[in-house]
Amino acid sequence: MNPSARGFHNLTKVEEFFMDNSILPINFFHGVGALTSLKVLSLSNCKFNGNLTSSGLCELTHLEELVLDYNYLEGALPSCLANLTSLKRLSLDSNRFSGNITLSPLNKLTNLHYLSLSDNDFQIPVSLQPFFNHSKLKIIKATNNEFYADTAIESLEPTFQLNILVLSGYGDCGAIPNFLYS
């Protein structure tokens, strides 16, 4: 199956789109922007290979849930992901994404409740400072990434109230942030 952008124009009222375990070309993302009512997009294990470039995906401003687990996506997250301000759940597990989370568009996604970044090549500050303004964030899973000590101001307190925090990986983490003790 090779969905074309023209075919998606007939699906403008679709709110949930699941194509997990399908083999899809990377250019699939160029046409998906036509799904203007989309709230849930799940494309886990679709054998995507390459960079997630600025594409139709970033036009899905009503999107609340995005699942791209178990693909071969690589490189930095495109800056246009910051346009997905309605996003509540983001799962990018088991890809080859890389880059420093501090500089990523994830900082702008303040409606997130759930964030899973496990099994990638992200660099993540152990303070989790990029997410301090994410007051709705309840779950962070980020195993098998690189963690590093940062110089976050100790007096800063995150606005999130995490229920689940799963961190493991490698790197020089430094001290555990004070807010985790309170």
Side-chain angles (χ1 to χ4, degrees):
M1 177 178 177
N2 189 0
S4 68
R6 189 170 14 135
F8 282 135
H9 288 291
N10 296 326
L11 303 173
T12 57
K13 298 203 185 292
V14 170
E15 292 186 3
E16 297 184 7
F17 192 90
F18 297 85
M19 287 199 63
D20 300 324
N21 302 307
S22 302
I23 298 174
L24 297 172
I26 194 72
N27 67 357
F28 172 88
F29 290 107
H30 293 295
V32 79
L35 302 172
T36 54
S37 298
L38 206 59
K39 292 182 180 179
V40 177
L41 179 60
S42 185
L43 300 170
S44 183
N45 197 29
C46 289
K47 310 291 187 259
F48 290 121
N49 195 347
N51 290 329
L52 188 61
T53 59
S54 300
S55 63
L57 178 64
C58 295
E59 298 169 24
L60 300 175
T61 56
H62 300 289
L63 198 64
E64 295 177 6
E65 181 174 336
L66 177 60
V67 180
L68 296 176
D69 298 339
Y70 302 101
N71 285 293
Y72 302 99
L73 296 167
E74 60 189 26
L77 297 175
S79 61
C80 67
L81 281 183
N83 298 344
L84 305 181
T85 57
S86 297
L87 210 57
K88 295 177 182 175
R89 184 176 192 276
L90 178 60
S91 189
L92 302 175
D93 293 345
S94 299
N95 281 285
R96 295 183 214 140
F97 288 118
S98 59
N100 190 318
I101 290 300
T102 304
L103 306 174
S104 81
L106 299 180
N107 301 337
K108 306 277 191 260
L109 301 178
T110 57
N111 278 320
L112 284 176
H113 294 237
Y114 176 96
L115 177 62
S116 192
L117 305 172
S118 294
D119 300 314
N120 281 287
D121 294 316
F122 288 120
Q123 293 84 46
I124 303 171
V126 74
S127 73
L128 302 176
Q129 189 273 332
F131 306 115
F132 276 16
N133 65 338
H134 289 58
S135 62
K136 299 174 183 174
L137 194 56
K138 301 292 182 203
I139 299 170
I140 297 177
K141 297 180 179 180
T143 61
N144 298 321
N145 285 285
E146 180 181 354
F147 291 91
Y148 66 91
D150 60 345
T151 56
I153 301 169
E154 285 297 320
S155 62
L156 283 180
E157 290 287 326
T159 59
F160 56 66
Q161 295 293 317
L162 294 176
N163 294 332
I164 298 173
L165 175 62
V166 183
L167 303 177
S168 70
Y170 56 93
D172 181 10
C173 296
I176 302 295
N178 288 338
F179 74 85
L180 290 174
Y181 296 113
S182 47

